[in-house]
Amino acid sequence: MSPSPEITVRAAKAEDVPHIFENIGYWAAQGKMLVRPMQHIFENLRDFFVAEVNGQFAGNAALHILWGDIAEVRGLAVKPGIQANGIGKKLVAACEAEARCIGIPILFAWTYEVRFFEKCGFTLIDKTKELHPRVWSECLRCQFYVGCNENGMVKHLHDVPMPRNLPEPPPAQVPPGIR
Ligand SMILES: CC(C)(COP(=O)(O)OP(=O)(O)OC[C@H]1O[C@@H](n2cnc3c(N)ncnc32)[C@H](O)[C@@H]1OP(=O)(O)O)[C@@H](O)C(=O)NCCC(=O)NCCS
């Protein structure tokens, strides 16, 4: 990549889906993230952002709303070979801006990339302690349902107020052995 690449982040379009599918598939095969079927990507396309470097696909991330107070950064992947150029950080920043826009004060992520998320302002949480019940929503369809060793991380957007009329979430369906 050039020394100062022009990185842009935008909402994903239908024509991005094959790139997103391939990119997530690559990293899922390395055990870095959960695989996403193409149908899932189409169905959730409004969650996704795409990064471009000089107009070329460079990565993707999604902001998925879990409840009125919390949204998950998921499906985050920078195209192989162009890591460490600030692309991941810009994708997370786009998710954060979207959460602010919608009025959601807590960001959450399941990840192996603790240091990266710390650089984005997230902090590690203790999985054995009380977590928001909705953060387990993906676990039931995950291949690592039992014996998961991903880290849970949160970022509180202190300038975003809690929604005033927030209903109680449904009880958590927590994978066995986690707590
Ligand atoms: C993890 C990932 C998204 C990071 O994106 P990236 O574009 O390489 O990271 P950035 O260049 O934006 O890095 C932002 C900061 O985090 C740091 N960082 C990034 N990855 C890091 C790592 N593995 N360990 C320590 N620090 C890291 C960078 O040094 C940088 O620090 P700075 O702000 O002080 O300069 C990317 O490497 C990736 O797609 N990995 C494979 C898939 C994956 O693991 N996805 C995460 C699923 S939750």
Side-chain angles (χ1 to χ4, degrees):
M1 267 185 33
S2 58
S4 51
E6 191 198 328
I7 304 165
T8 53
V9 176
R10 58 166 173 79
K13 297 179 184 174
E15 66 186 22
D16 297 315
V17 171
H19 296 292
I20 297 171
F21 176 72
E22 187 185 352
N23 194 32
I24 291 180
Y26 175 88
W27 290 114
Q30 320 286 314
K32 294 273 190 180
M33 61 197 302
L34 188 57
V35 72
R36 304 276 172 187
M38 198 174 273
Q39 185 178 341
H40 171 96
I41 300 170
F42 274 120
E43 286 177 357
N44 292 277
L45 193 56
R46 276 181 292 190
D47 284 356
F48 275 89
F49 294 95
V50 159
E52 290 180 330
V53 172
N54 301 328
Q56 299 295 309
F57 176 86
N60 48 268
L63 181 79
H64 188 72
I65 299 171
L66 297 173
W67 200 249
D69 55 345
I70 189 164
E72 181 180 344
V73 176
R74 57 168 65 161
L76 168 66
V78 173
K79 198 174 161 184
I82 52 171
Q83 273 61 46
N85 282 293
I87 299 166
K89 210 169 180 177
K90 285 207 167 173
L91 282 162
V92 173
C95 292
E96 183 174 327
E98 178 80 347
R100 282 178 198 286
C101 211
I102 297 170
I104 291 191
I106 307 170
L107 293 178
F108 180 82
W110 288 117
T111 189
Y112 297 110
E113 295 292 342
V114 171
R115 299 300 301 277
F116 165 76
F117 274 97
E118 282 175 348
K119 291 279 182 162
C120 296
F122 286 64
T123 52
L124 205 52
I125 48 171
D126 184 344
K127 281 200 284 192
T128 62
K129 292 203 176 130
E130 196 57 29
L131 285 180
H132 197 289
R134 293 291 293 134
V135 303
W136 308 104
S137 68
E138 282 280 276
C139 301
L140 299 174
R141 55 177 287 271
C142 177
Q143 58 182 318
F144 306 114
Y145 177 80
V146 177
C148 164
N149 57 359
E150 279 203 282
N151 301 285
M153 300 192 72
V154 291
K155 180 170 183 175
H156 291 268
L157 308 178
H158 295 292
D159 53 329
V160 179
M162 275 286 164
R164 275 179 305 223
N165 54 354
L166 190 67
E168 274 297 307
Q173 287 181 284
V174 181
I178 288 191
R179 65 176 192 189

